[in-house]
Amino acid sequence: MNTLDEIERAVKDTAHYVSGNLANYANRAAGENPSGEKQVGGDVWADDLFFDALAYIDGIGAYASEERSDVVDCGEGYSVAIDPLDGSSNLASNNSVGTIIGIYDAELPASGREMVASLMVLYGPYTTLTIARSDRDVVQEHLLRDGHSERWGQFKLPSEATVVGLAGKTGERSDAFNDIAQSFERDMKLRYGGATVADLAQVLEYGGLFGYPATSGYPNGKLRVHFESAPLAYLVEAAGGASSDGSQSLLDVDPDGIHDRTPTFLGNTELVDELEAALSDG
């Protein structure tokens, strides 16, 4: 079993436990994460669980988390970047949350071109793990239940786009973005729930576009390169889709810091191309 196999096994085991115990942390408050956002108890709890599961694997050299200020030195090997509980504010309303993990063959900070694997866990009515690896030709999806993992099949982004989920208030977005968003929303069903993993899962299943643009409140976008944008871009591009920060692939974004943010768009290639063209004209 190589290091990527060990990581995949550890994520499956930990996700099983997280899925069965989320209700214990639904209404617990915590402090703030390094990005200045409010944490819930589940953020810190999940981060501790994944750190214990991943940091001690032979071949893991560093662990970076949305919930930690600095990268933890774990020895030599791959760097792990994780959002341990994406969309954690959804716990209060009993909606879906997730876990996002990027595995980098480089010291952090690093661009997405240094990634060798991406893992996305969705804790919904049932729990799934979607994984893309450099040593595999397909994006795999696994059903996690009863302490076991069952491979469901492989993901290929549908050619027909049917759903769109675009974040941000219209009054805080650019006119150029609002114009193209309105066009997309006329032609596709609206799907936005406030948890990136859950919203992207809709795009992977049905085809379409997910996006979090630059806004007046978040001029560099809200999602973080290492913990959300690049890992999900790696997965979407491996599934036959495209990613963008508005002008280039998210895998080409070269962050200066661990918690750097970027505008983030993920989905069918023709929609991403149309979005980039509209933003460049605006």
Side-chain angles (χ1 to χ4, degrees):
M1 185 177 290
N2 63 33
T3 302
L4 292 182
D5 292 332
E6 290 279 358
I7 292 169
E8 184 173 333
R9 178 197 56 76
V11 170
K12 289 175 180 176
D13 290 346
T14 308
H16 276 301
Y17 186 80
V18 170
S19 178
N21 291 275
L22 275 172
N24 298 328
Y25 297 87
N27 294 306
R28 295 188 186 181
E32 288 188 347
N33 68 20
S35 298
E37 298 168 342
K38 290 183 179 179
Q39 293 172 318
V40 301
D43 288 315
V44 178
W45 168 73
D47 182 50
D48 288 341
L49 288 174
F50 279 105
F51 178 82
D52 289 342
L54 295 170
Y56 301 103
I57 292 175
D58 187 29
I60 296 297
Y63 180 94
S65 169
E66 182 179 307
E67 310 307 329
R68 299 174 186 239
S69 298
D70 302 312
V71 178
V72 179
D73 184 355
C74 303
E76 295 184 0
Y78 295 132
S79 296
V80 173
I82 183 171
D83 180 352
L85 200 59
D86 171 68
S88 56
S89 61
N90 276 3
L91 289 177
S93 56
N94 192 26
N95 281 297
S96 297
V97 294
T99 296
I100 304 167
I101 303 171
I103 309 300
Y104 294 77
D105 191 12
E107 293 184 1
L108 302 178
S111 81
R113 297 296 177 190
E114 302 294 339
M115 294 182 63
V116 295
S118 170
L119 303 93
M120 182 182 87
V121 181
L122 174 60
Y123 309 101
Y126 49 88
T127 301
T128 57
L129 168 67
T130 306
I131 179 168
R133 289 173 43 166
S134 60
D135 58 350
R136 292 178 183 163
D137 295 330
V138 297
V139 176
Q140 295 182 356
E141 184 182 35
H142 298 260
L143 174 66
L144 308 182
R145 63 180 177 185
D146 301 326
H148 301 286
S149 170
E150 173 187 340
R151 181 176 170 183
W152 263 12
Q154 60 193 52
F155 259 122
K156 184 74 174 177
L157 206 65
S159 58
E160 182 179 357
T162 61
V163 299
V164 60
L166 301 173
K169 300 175 183 177
T170 56
E172 296 182 353
R173 306 186 312 201
S174 70
D175 290 340
F177 184 82
N178 282 334
D179 288 344
I180 189 62
Q182 188 175 56
S183 174
F184 289 148
E185 290 166 356
R186 278 197 298 265
D187 297 332
M188 292 180 282
K189 299 174 183 178
L190 302 183
R191 292 289 187 272
Y192 182 76
T196 303
V197 166
D199 294 329
L200 183 60
Q202 297 252 8
V203 171
L204 288 170
E205 184 69 30
Y206 302 114
L209 181 71
F210 165 81
Y212 208 118
T215 65
S216 57
Y218 293 98
N220 296 317
K222 186 177 181 181
L223 302 184
R224 280 142 288 242
V225 179
H226 288 105
F227 308 122
E228 295 148 329
S229 303
L232 296 180
Y234 185 94
L235 194 154
V236 169
E237 293 194 16
S243 72
S244 179
D245 67 350
S247 63
Q248 63 179 343
S249 168
L250 288 165
L251 299 180
D252 291 321
V253 174
D254 196 8
D256 294 322
I258 296 301
H259 296 276
D260 281 10
R261 304 177 190 265
T262 183
T264 298
F265 306 101
L266 302 156
N268 286 64
T269 301
E270 63 270 20
L271 297 180
V272 172
D273 289 345
E274 187 176 347
L275 175 80
E276 288 185 341
L279 295 182
S280 67
D281 291 342

